[in-house]
């Protein structure tokens, strides 16, 4: 018999677990990134604090907590304090709707391995994720620094150009799953991951999320080499750590979302019998997707922000509209003709669109390069 | 605490446009502490949004007074300071300086020493271009390039250490030849490097030259036409990228460069990409020269590496123990130095960055009356305002990196 207060207790515990998982995940993601980057760059990476440098994130955290908090002389103090919080909160809030697994039976009761299964989770994600850009813009504006202001400007321009494509690239998922609930999206992938049906959509979503979390090659708002640190140039100590935290937690979150939307979320062999395997699969998928982000950072130069805007508007947006159209056509024809081959029309046609995009970009660049060189 | 000086209109009034006054454009202080100014360069950048209207380099933050200091040192002791000028081209600075001294006192250099000098300067050219390429990648946020380049640079640093006992500040070349012959392991070490390096250059090209984002950042950015380049005195890879086939190694051969077979890579566009690709091709040309140098070195085995003109070179170590005259000469040589005639000379070499010239004036005593360095970074940097106008801040960083400045070279 589930009483009211036990339900509250369960929610409370689950919320705590998610928050702490994200906090610790953030700390060890920095370690993971530094080690992986170091391996790719013929270095060793942090290896002094603790065995294999495992205590390095903790040492970093202690350093940041005890560091002096500076704020520029003419900064708007209230907003200056508020913006790190504003940046960090959304990334934690999104954690509420991510399904980490199905339902397990523990302590004589069914426990859902997710905090909330709201029926508009996709919209919830899109809405909350874009809030954090306010933190960045306000941080850049309130620090009264030219570099920070330029970073904030870039982040605004960037957000306008990728957010549309990000939102539209979610539509094929909704069409395929016929639901906006994250849990139902995952369950709809039991037969086949959506990345197989809609590879182009997954790619667009992934590119847009790279811009969303300000990761290379779209890290213009904080371009170290150009704007010294961009919007958080004037932040130090724990306030800086909050920005840092927000960025890495968002990395975890968008990887989780990508896994949920396109890579079957918590699904995996044996998960149906043992639902507790769900979080394990989820964790493994997130790690792999995070690795790809780190890999990209080690390899690619930064794109220029006007190029990101034209890329977002001229390529990502039309391509994502095409995926929506093709997915809709495929599903409609499948319903009408009752022929499973129509489902395979979606990936084939979207790969064609992808090929057209790649060839177009490649040709344009080739013309640009060989005419001049 | 003193107020940090803001980039103010009053000081740069004659250099920036009047739109700054009305607040239409913004003055941004880039440097001297900025990750992409390659040392302590300060750029006062006038920005319209993120478009660069003017970029005014302000130098002097690394002023060392080396030129002035040399006047109070004997010729040999002054040479040690040349290492500190362009710290990425230490051997090349020694070469330019030694050639000036040799010209001033009319001193011959034995052929084996010439070959060693050529091999070392070409290796140093590769090392210097590696330090161009690494930070160039880093400035475009291809951060792994930086570490790959420094990995290969270690080979050359090891070779320098093998020969001179020092990794950077070698002072390996001396007036009249080189400090001592190369050790036995030298050839094997250089051959090892020559075996590895071509593959590594291909790797760099796979990472950068074939990367669409990289091309997008470079092609058509920071155009510099040949006329402007010449009028500003731009030399080196920057000039060759603008279509002028001018390389002192070919145009005014020294140290027997006319006997080596190599090409001078040029491009006609003069954008950031051609400045990059010219340097990449110079890697391969320098390797060719080193290869030929090793062959010559074998032919000249056993020959002296220091001039026989004892007036200007120290006696060999073995003689000091048995000859009183040699001992006296050794003492006088290192304490008093050798006198130079009252004359003035100019000699120039092709450093990795361009024409590195040394103007030297003797006054009959053992110390130079005046030494002036015509450094390539200084002239190359002065043209930056012409190149960055109308580009974005991100391009400014790329263009500045493609100039390949060394601040020690600018602020003598």
């Amino acid at each position: 018999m589930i009483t009211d207060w036990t339900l509250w207790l369960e929610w409370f515990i689950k919320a705590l677990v998610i928050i702490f998982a994200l906090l610790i995940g953030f700390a060890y993601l920095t370690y993971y990134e530094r080690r992986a980057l170091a391996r790719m760059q013929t270095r060793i990476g942090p290896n002094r604090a603790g065995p294999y440098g495992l205590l390095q994130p903790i040492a970093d955290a202690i350093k940041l907590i005890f560091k002096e908090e500076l704020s520029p002389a003419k900064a708007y103090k209230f907003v200056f304090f508020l913006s790190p919080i504003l940046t960090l909160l959304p990334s934690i809030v999104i954690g509420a709707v991510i399904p980490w697994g199905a339902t397990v039976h523990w302590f004589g009761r069914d426990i859902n391995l997710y905090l909330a299964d709201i029926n508009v989770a996709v919209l919830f994600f899109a809405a909350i994720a874009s809030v954090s850009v306010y933190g960045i813009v306000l941080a850049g504006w309130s620090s009264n620094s030219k570099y920070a202001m330029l970073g904030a400007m870039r982040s605004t321009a960037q957000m306008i150009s990728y957010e549309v494509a990000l939102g539209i690239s979610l539509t094929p998922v909704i069409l395929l799953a016929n639901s906006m609930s994250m849990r139902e999206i995952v369950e709809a992938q039991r037969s086949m991951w959506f990345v197989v049906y809609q590879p182009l959509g997954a790619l667009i979503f992934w590119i847009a999320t790279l811009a969303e979390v300000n990761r290379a090659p779209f890290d213009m708002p904080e371009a170290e080499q150009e704007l010294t640190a961009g919007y958080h140039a004037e932040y130090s100590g724990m306030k800086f750590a909050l920005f840092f935290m927000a960025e890495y937690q968002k990395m975890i979150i968008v990887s989780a979302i990508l896994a949920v939307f396109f890579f079957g979320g918590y699904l995996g062999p044996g998960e149906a019998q043992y639902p507790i395997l769900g979080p394990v699969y989820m964790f493994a998928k997130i790690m792999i997707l995070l690795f790809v982000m780190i890999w990209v950072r080690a390899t690619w130069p930064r794109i220029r922000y006007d190029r990101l805007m034209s890329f977002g508007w001229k390529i990502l947006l039309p391509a994502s509209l095409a995926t929506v159209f093709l997915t809709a056509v495929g599903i409609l024809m499948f319903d009408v003709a009752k022929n499973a081959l129509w489902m395979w029309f979606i990936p084939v046609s979207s790969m064609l669109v992808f090929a057209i995009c790649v060839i177009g970009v490649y040709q344009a660049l080739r013309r640009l390069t060989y005419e001049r060189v | 605490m003193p107020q940090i000086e803001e980039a103010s209109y009053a000081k740069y009034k004659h250099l920036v446009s009047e739109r700054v006054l009305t607040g239409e454009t913004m003055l941004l202080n880039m440097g001297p502490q900025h990750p992409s100014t390659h040392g302590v360069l300060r750029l006062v950048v006038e920005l319209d949004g993120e478009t660069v209207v003017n970029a005014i380099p302000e130098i002097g933050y690394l002023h060392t007074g080396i030129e002035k200091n040399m006047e109070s040192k004997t010729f040999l002791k002054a040479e040690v300071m040349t290492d500190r000028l362009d710290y990425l081209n230490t051997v090349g600075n020694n070469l330019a300086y030694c050639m000036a001294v040799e010209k001033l006192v009319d001193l011959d250099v034995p052929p084996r020493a010439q070959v060693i000098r050529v091999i070392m300067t070409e290796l140093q050219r590769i090392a210097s271009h590696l330090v161009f390429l690494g930070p160039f990648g880093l400035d475009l946020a291809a951060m792994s390039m930086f570490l790959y380049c420094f990995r290969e640079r270690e080979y050359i640093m090891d070779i320098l250490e093998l020969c001179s006992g020092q990794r950077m500040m070698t002072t390996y070349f001396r007036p009249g030849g080189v400090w001592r012959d190369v050790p036995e392991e030298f050839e094997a070490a250089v051959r090892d490097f020559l075996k590895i390096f071509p593959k590594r250059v291909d790797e760099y090209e796979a990472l950068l030259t074939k990367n669409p984002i990289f091309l997008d950042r470079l092609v058509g950015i920071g155009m510099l036409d040949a006329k402007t380049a010449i009028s500003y005195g731009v030399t080196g890879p920057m000039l060759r990228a603008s279509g002028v086939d001018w390389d002192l190694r070919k145009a005014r051969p020294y140290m027997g460069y006319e006997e080596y077979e190599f090409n001078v890579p040029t491009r006609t566009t003069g954008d950031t990409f051609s400045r990059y690709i010219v340097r990449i091709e110079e890697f391969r040309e320098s390797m060719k020269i080193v290869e030929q140098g090793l062959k010559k070195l074998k032919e000249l085995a056993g020959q002296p590496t220091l001039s026989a003109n004892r007036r200007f070179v120290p006696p060999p170590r073995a003689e000091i123990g048995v000859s009183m005259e040699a001992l006296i000469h050794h003492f006088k040589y290192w304490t008093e130095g050798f006198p130079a005639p009252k004359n003035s000379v100019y000699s120039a070499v092709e450093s990795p960055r361009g024409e590195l010239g040394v103007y030297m004036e003797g006054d009959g005593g053992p110390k130079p009356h005046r030494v002036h360095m015509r450094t390539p970074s200084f002239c190359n940097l002065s043209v930056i305002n012409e190149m960055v106008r109308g580009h974005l801040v991100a391009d400014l960083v790329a263009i500045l990196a493609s100039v390949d400045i060394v601040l020690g070279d600018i602020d003598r």
Side-chain angles (χ1 to χ4, degrees), chain B residues 153-177:
Chain B
R153 184 170 175 261
E154 278 306 297
Y155 285 99
I156 295 169
M157 292 287 114
D158 286 347
I159 292 171
L160 288 181
E161 192 182 1
L162 190 68
C163 294
S164 67
Q166 279 280 340
R167 281 158 54 84
M168 277 182 83
M169 307 304 172
T170 55
T171 325
Y172 183 54
F173 301 168
R174 302 287 164 86

Side-chain angles (χ1 to χ4, degrees), chain B residues 51-208:
Chain B
T51 314
V52 178
V53 184
N54 275 308
I56 303 139
E58 196 170 298
I59 58 171
Y61 288 92
L62 199 67
H63 187 69
T64 45
I66 282 178
E67 278 180 3
K68 187 71 189 161
N69 253 327
M70 281 180 171
E71 291 169 18
S72 59
K73 300 216 171 353
T74 62
F75 283 104
L76 273 164
K77 287 171 188 165
E79 192 199 334
V80 181
M81 308 187 91
T82 59
D83 284 322
R84 275 89 180 156
L85 277 166
D86 177 352
Y87 41 80
L88 298 181
N89 181 35
T90 55
V91 175
N93 297 341
N94 292 163
L95 179 65
Y97 179 82
C98 288
M99 274 170 59
V101 174
E102 282 151 12
K103 210 167 170 182
L104 187 66
V105 302
D106 195 19
L107 184 59
D108 66 301
V109 182
R112 187 172 164 85
Q114 292 197 4
V115 174
I116 294 175
R117 282 182 174 186
V118 167
I119 295 176
M120 296 304 258
T121 38
E122 289 309 315
L123 285 176
Q124 184 83 76
R125 189 184 312 277
I126 294 174
S128 172
H129 281 348
L130 280 172
V131 182
F132 152 76
L133 186 60
F136 186 61
L138 193 64
D139 283 348
L140 298 170
M143 60 191 293
S144 303
M145 273 316 288
F146 183 73
L147 292 135
Y148 297 150
C149 287
F150 272 70
R151 176 184 63 188
E152 269 71 82
R153 184 170 175 261
E154 278 306 297
Y155 285 99
I156 295 169
M157 292 287 114
D158 286 347
I159 292 171
L160 288 181
E161 192 182 1
L162 190 68
C163 294
S164 67
Q166 279 280 340
R167 281 158 54 84
M168 277 182 83
M169 307 304 172
T170 55
T171 325
Y172 183 54
F173 301 168
R174 302 287 164 86
V178 295
W179 172 50
R180 60 169 193 188
D181 204 349
V182 289
E184 275 173 38
E185 307 90 339
F186 175 73
E187 195 186 330
V190 178
R191 289 232 181 267
D192 272 357
F193 174 71
L194 288 180
K195 206 155 83 190
I196 292 168
F197 195 57
K199 281 180 231 148
R200 297 281 162 85
V201 177
D202 293 342
E203 268 176 35
Y204 304 155
E205 289 226 74
L207 255 178
L208 295 181

